[in-house]
Structure formats: structure tokens, C-alpha cells
Amino acid sequence: MKKYLLTVILILTLTLSFSTSLLAQNVPIDEVTKITVEGNEYVSDFEILNAVQTEVGDQTDQQALRSDMQAIFDLGYFSDINIVFENYEGGLNVIFEVVENPVLKEINISGYEEIYTAKEVRQALDLQLETVLNVKKMNENLKAFQEKMQNDGYILARYRDVNISDQGVLTVKISPGYLDSIEIKGNTKTKNDVILREMPIEAGEIININKIQRGYQNLLRLEFFENINPELERVESEQNLAKLVINLEEGKTGRLNFGGGYSSTDGWLGFVDVSEKNLFGNGQNIGAKWQFGDTTTYSLNFYEPYLWDSKYSFGFSIYDRESERTNDADQDYIRESRGGSVTFGRPLPNDWRTSLRYRAQDTEEYWSDDGTEIYDNSLRSLTLGFSRDTSNSRFHPTSGSINNFEIEHAGDFIGGEMDFTKFNLDTRRYFPGFSDHAWALRMKLGLSEPRTPLDSEEYDLGGSDSLRGYERSDFDVDTRDNNNLLLFNVEYRIPFNESFTGVLFTDAGNVWEDRDSIALNDLRYGYGLGVRMNTPVGQLRLDYGWDDNQDGQLHFSIGNTF
């Protein structure tokens, strides 16, 4: 992405005028018997003479006196300085004649109102009324404020006028720089409004490079485009206008995948997956999946990020899942779950989003050999969620974070046979490692208040997505309910090329029935190494982990861990 620094700094400067008696004529050579100042009304003699190096008893020297004049001028209080000489007690009285700048009576600043408060600007200029204007200090502060505007992203901001009148009125006019228009090039499928709604800046607004960068990240997250190149082009210099040109190269958004393999979570499986991330160029996401094998799943999902062109998002999913399982007594049973969900979401300030989801699910379990029913239950719940994603990449983040917090309530007025409240926190942090390596950290906390047994809604631990080196059955105990969970994951990720990434990991976690039993000294540990492979199906994961007893476990799955 090209960044253009289209900034002109216009700062008031004054020119030092040396007297012709000093520069064009010979300075009388004699002993300096007195040094005085004339013309100053507000600036003290002491402050002026403190800048003078020539002393009483010295011989007059043209270069030294020139340096003294410059030093007085550098104090910033004067618009003109001259030197005259008078005979005094057998030598010379060196008189510095100064012309003070106006006394600052009023400060008028304009053009900042949309980006800063008046208090912020006045604090940045740091000029006091009823004092002689110090041009040196003003120039330094104007330059510092210019740098602040640049650092805050206002790359076109400049001073259009800086002027001090004889009456002591300082006028500072700021031209912040406005966006004339946004031009989109290269999109053949995606509609313009789908692109523009991802840009947090519109025509007519003050240009801020940080907003443009956020829009660039938003477009990347859509995964609609192979290349995105935003550029600023100057439109009109006098009015300080520029247009934003977004150059795009669209990629493939439809996908048809099929295949098979083995998952340590779901056993042997085959799948057919059809999806479209940019339905008819409207930015909608729709997908259908059929997975078969030890686990059979039919699912359909749809997501509209801007419902009726509003800030609200809408999504729904329906699924039918049947899986073959084995309990800790080596008895085979089948679990069937059918249900779906409807979700509404809305953005919040500072990149946060909130969502409200209604979920309905009916679950049945029965023995594999004779079909005798073991368990039959219905779930109806509402989930309030808050999320924030500031990671710099979806596939290999090296900075930023992802935070998700949810409160799910089932039963009561919502209906269903299950009655509980769950609090779920999932927070992730990413840090750069050596070279292009990265550290990835996650903490997951689940707390529940069951008023009926959780059964199918208990927390699972063990397997490829949580505590590697263990199977889920290692934490399923008939004598207790897994009502609470605490999990930590640390990965060091080493990209080999665009397709393969190596991983070293350490996991720690456990599940408890009672919240009071949660303790860090009761965690189970796993560690190991793995490899990630990017394919058209998605990211494939292969991990080998060891548990507390040094027993090894192979884990295979699809999709990133966290």
C-alpha cells in the first residue's frame, strides 16, 4: 500500500536585520566599557544580556558582536536588533537596540475542530496571553503539532496561514485535508457498495491514513480478493483534496471440496463441502456440508454481514449430526443431535462486536446393539456474546489479539428441558518470534451453573482442539459432571513456506464438577510438536502430543487450533 506524505509546513519565520553600522562598516576598535539594552519594554535586560558573550573590558570584535546579535535574536522575542556605539569613560558603550514582538492578546485557531479539541490545540501551542510573543517557541510548537497530526494519521494536514498582527492577534489556519472521492478499480463481481461499506472513511471526510489502513484490513478479512492496493492521489492542491483509489484483483470465492481421512475426534470420515463467500457479489456467505463415516453430519449455514444495508448482521445454521461413541466401560452408543441457531450481531466502538443467538437442539442417545434409548433431551438457549479481533492475519497472525466472551442461558422462559447458565471466555494473543516465527497463546475458561444435569452440554477436554496428548474419554467420568473448564495453550509457529508450518506446543488444563475445586495445581499437562498444511480444503493439522505419563497420542484435524 502506497502512502503519500502530502504535507506542507508553513510556519511563521522572521528575518534578522543586522545594522549597516555593524555589517557594512568597520566596527570601531576600542575597549568595551559598558553594555546596555534599549527598546525592550517587557523582556528584562538581564535575560537579554545573559545571552551576550562580550564582556566589559573586552576589545570590540565584529564577529563576536555578530554572534551576540544572533544569540539575542535566538531568544525569539524580537523582530529586529541593531548595535550602536557611544563613547563612555574612555571606551565604548555597546548598545543593543531591540524591537520586541507584539504582546500576545488573542489566539485565533481554525480548521482543527473535526480532529482535536480547542484545549488540545492550545496545550500543544503552549503560548501565554499578555506576554511578548516568542517566535522561536511558537515555531518549535507548531512543528511539534505538525508532527502530532502526522503521527495521528492526518497525513495531508498543513498550516494554510500563520500570522501575527501588530495588535497582538495570532491567527493559525489549519487545512486538515479532505477526501474528494473513492474510486474502485478491478472488481468484476463484488459490488461497489460491498467494498465501500468496509471502509471507515467516506468522501467529504478528513483523510486519516489509519482509517484507510483499517479499511484495507477489513477488505483482506473478506477473503474476496487476491490483491488489494489503495492509493491516494492529489486532486486539488489549493483546497488540499485527494481521492482514494482502491485497486483490486478478485479471487475465487466459491468452493467445492470433497475428500476423506481420519480425525482423532471423529474417527474415519468423508466429506463434501460446498460454499460461496460472496454470494452474487453481495458479500453474503452460504455453505452446505455433508460429512459421513463414524460421524455423519448434514449442515447448512448462511450469513449476511449487513442486514438490509444496516449495521446489523444476521446468520442462521441448521444441522443434523449422528456420531458413534464409546464410554469408559467400552460400551458403544450413538448420539443424535438436530438443531439450529439464529444470530443477530452489531458492531461496537473500538472494534468490538456484540451478538445475540437463539439456539435450539434436540439430543438423543441410544445403545448401538439394540437401539435402547439412554438419553433424550431438548435444549433452548439465548447467548449474549462480545468479540474483538485485532489480529494482523487470519492464517499466520504475529500480533494483535482475539477475544470472545459469551453468556448462555437455557431453560426458564426460553423453554426446553435443560436449565443452566454458562460463562465462556476465550482470549488469544499473538507475538512475533524470531524472523517470521510467531508465538500464539490462548486461555479458555468455562463456568456453568447447572440447574439440571448438563449431559450433552458438559465441557469436553482432550483431543486436537484443546489438551493434546489426551483423548476426550480421559476426562469423561460417570461419577461427576464436567461443569467447569480451564485451559491454557502455547504454540511457537515456524513457517517453512507458504504451504507448511511447524509447531511446538504446550497445553495445560482440566475440568471440574464444582467451581470451588478449580486450582492451578490440579492441571494436566501435554506437550509436543506438529505440522500445518494449507490446502484448498483448508488448513490440515497433524499433532503428536505426550501426556503427564509420557504416553503419546496422534491428533489429526482440519482448521487452525486458535
Side-chain angles (χ1 to χ4, degrees), residues 73 161 199 253-254 294 342 400 406 429 513 528:
F73 184 76
D161 184 32
M199 302 299 300
T253 56
D294 293 344
V342 177
E406 292 184 342
R429 297 288 186 274
E513 182 171 14

Side-chain angles (χ1 to χ4, degrees), residues 447-493:
L447 305 174
S448 63
E449 294 181 354
R451 290 169 289 276
T452 59
L454 288 178
D455 297 323
S456 61
E457 290 299 309
E458 289 182 354
Y459 290 108
D460 288 324
L461 189 65
S464 60
D465 295 324
S466 58
L467 186 55
R468 287 160 288 190
Y470 300 83
E471 287 284 4
R472 289 186 180 183
S473 58
D474 294 337
F475 297 89
D476 290 335
V477 181
D478 289 338
T479 58
R480 72 176 190 192
D481 295 321
N482 296 339
N483 296 335
N484 304 281
L485 174 143
L486 180 61
L487 175 67
F488 298 96
N489 303 103
V490 178
E491 289 190 352
Y492 189 73
R493 299 171 177 173

Side-chain angles (χ1 to χ4, degrees), residues 420-437:
F420 63 83
T421 302
K422 278 187 174 183
F423 304 88
N424 297 313
L425 172 66
D426 190 330
T427 181
R428 310 168 186 192
R429 297 288 186 274
Y430 306 98
F431 303 94
F434 178 75
S435 182
D436 58 348
H437 303 177

Side-chain angles (χ1 to χ4, degrees), residues 1 179 182 184 192-203 205 208-220 222 228 230 244-246 248 306:
M1 173 177 175
L179 184 64
I182 300 178
I184 304 173
N192 282 353
D193 61 325
V194 173
I195 299 168
L196 292 174
R197 69 191 184 189
E198 298 298 332
M199 302 299 300
I201 185 170
E202 298 178 355
E205 293 185 4
N208 187 296
I209 195 65
N210 297 326
K211 286 187 175 182
I212 296 175
Q213 288 174 334
R214 286 202 301 272
Y216 171 74
Q217 292 293 333
N218 291 342
L219 292 176
L220 278 179
L222 293 178
I228 306 171
L244 175 63
V245 180
I246 305 176
L248 301 169
Y306 295 88

